[in-house]
Amino acid sequence: MLELPPITWQAVLLGLTVALCGYVFSRLMNWATSRFLHWRGRSDSSRRVFAGLVQAAVIVVSLGAALTIVFPSVKPVDILGGIGLFSLAIGIAFQTVLGNMFAGMVILARDRFRVGDQISLKDHAGTVVEMQLSHTAIRTFDGRLVLIPNSALHSEIVTVQTGFEYVRSTVVFNLTIGTDPTAAREVALNAIRELPSVLSDPPAQALFSQVGTGTIQLDLRFWTSARQLDTKEAQDAVIEHVLGSFAGNGITIGTPPLAVQLTEIPEADNEGPEEQA
């Protein structure tokens, strides 16, 4: 017969008291960790995840202490050894999940982007709507929900469009070769300065970049708010106003000539098998 260690009501009550105090202390540590990370300027997702991890660690320790009180024969070393073996088995069985979780911890600790930022990864771009330990959810600009594993965000190149307050856009115009460059530059800059969606600081630039056989290329570079919709609306307004100003000042838009390269097709070998033999 299996003999169980003696259990007393006093030990059970003391163990329950330790577990309850541990739970209350874990809540306190959750609050303290969240306040500390808030003071450090961390994001809401970072505060929520790391405060939850601290709370879970305190609860595990308090439950282990309660078990050693209720069952005196159970040593803390035995509990730690059991936890170690269990963790090893879990790690082998769920390598991908744990990899995503550790990557999520690194991403949240770095705090390079947050919920509400706009990011792009390979073919996916959109606004971050949720950050968890295992994945990050984004809403694409066409309204679709994409769940990205955190391991991919950690190992691939991620572009944070809203990482800075302003971004620069470029609109290209091909002007006819007889256009006065100085006048075209001044007309384009004056048209851009009238747009409220284009920032005045840094100022817009009009730079001639290429000269073709029938056109000269004018690059209009300007700064706008970093969000995707703001940049698209600003580009639309710049094209509309600059084209109108060009038309009102007699500046014409040209079309670059289409270059066609002819290659000589080698003659086929007309020798038959018998002649080659």
Side-chain angles (χ1 to χ4, degrees):
M1 296 294 293
L2 179 63
E3 295 184 1
L4 296 176
I7 301 175
T8 63
W9 288 106
Q10 294 82 356
V12 172
L13 291 176
L14 183 57
L16 291 176
T17 302
V18 170
L20 180 60
C21 292
Y23 175 75
V24 174
F25 183 67
S26 70
R27 299 281 296 181
L28 179 62
M29 289 299 297
N30 185 307
W31 177 84
T33 305
S34 180
R35 295 299 300 174
F36 174 76
L37 294 176
H38 178 73
W39 174 70
R40 295 287 297 174
R42 296 297 183 176
S43 64
D44 294 338
S45 299
S46 179
R47 297 200 305 267
R48 172 177 50 80
V49 169
F50 285 109
L53 289 176
V54 171
Q55 180 178 357
V58 174
I59 290 177
V60 170
V61 173
S62 63
L63 289 178
L67 285 176
T68 57
I69 293 174
V70 176
F71 303 99
S73 62
V74 178
K75 304 296 189 229
V77 176
D78 299 332
I79 296 177
L80 293 177
I83 293 176
L85 292 176
F86 180 75
S87 301
L88 180 60
I90 291 296
I92 295 175
F94 300 97
Q95 294 182 11
T96 302
V97 175
L98 291 177
N100 287 326
M101 293 179 64
F102 282 114
M105 294 175 63
V106 173
I107 292 172
L108 291 171
R110 289 176 176 175
D111 202 21
R112 302 304 299 176
F113 59 87
R114 305 180 176 184
V115 173
D117 280 330
Q118 294 180 342
I119 65 173
S120 62
L121 173 68
K122 293 186 177 179
D123 297 332
H124 305 292
T127 303
V128 178
V129 295
E130 183 184 34
M131 297 182 67
Q132 298 289 348
L133 272 179
S134 60
H135 69 274
T136 297
I138 66 171
R139 181 178 181 178
T140 61
F141 297 124
D142 55 357
R144 291 175 172 83
L145 177 65
V146 177
L147 302 179
I148 303 177
N150 284 333
S151 58
L153 287 174
H154 182 260
S155 59
E156 299 291 341
I157 297 177
V158 179
T159 301
V160 184
Q161 182 168 332
T162 53
F164 297 102
E165 190 174 5
Y166 308 120
V167 295
R168 191 186 70 186
S169 300
T170 302
V171 175
V172 178
F173 294 91
N174 291 298
L175 309 180
T176 56
I177 199 65
T179 302
D180 183 0
T182 303
R185 190 198 312 270
E186 190 64 25
V187 168
L189 291 177
N190 288 336
I192 291 179
R193 295 188 186 105
E194 298 175 355
L195 300 175
S197 57
V198 177
L199 301 177
S200 58
D201 186 23
Q205 294 177 306
L207 305 175
F208 289 97
S209 58
Q210 292 183 7
V211 178
T213 56
T215 60
I216 52 176
Q217 180 173 306
L218 176 63
D219 296 342
L220 295 182
R221 305 196 300 183
F222 51 93
W223 293 80
T224 64
S225 174
R227 304 199 71 82
Q228 175 80 358
L229 181 60
D230 295 337
T231 59
K232 293 297 183 181
E233 290 179 344
Q235 292 173 4
D236 175 80
V238 166
I239 294 174
E240 180 181 358
H241 282 71
V242 171
L243 286 178
S245 298
F246 282 166
N249 289 271
I251 300 174
T252 57
I253 303 295
T255 302
L258 179 63
V260 179
Q261 182 178 1
L262 300 178
T263 58
E264 183 179 356
I265 301 177
E267 295 182 359
D269 189 0
N270 296 324
E271 294 182 356
E274 296 180 357
E275 296 180 358
Q276 293 180 359

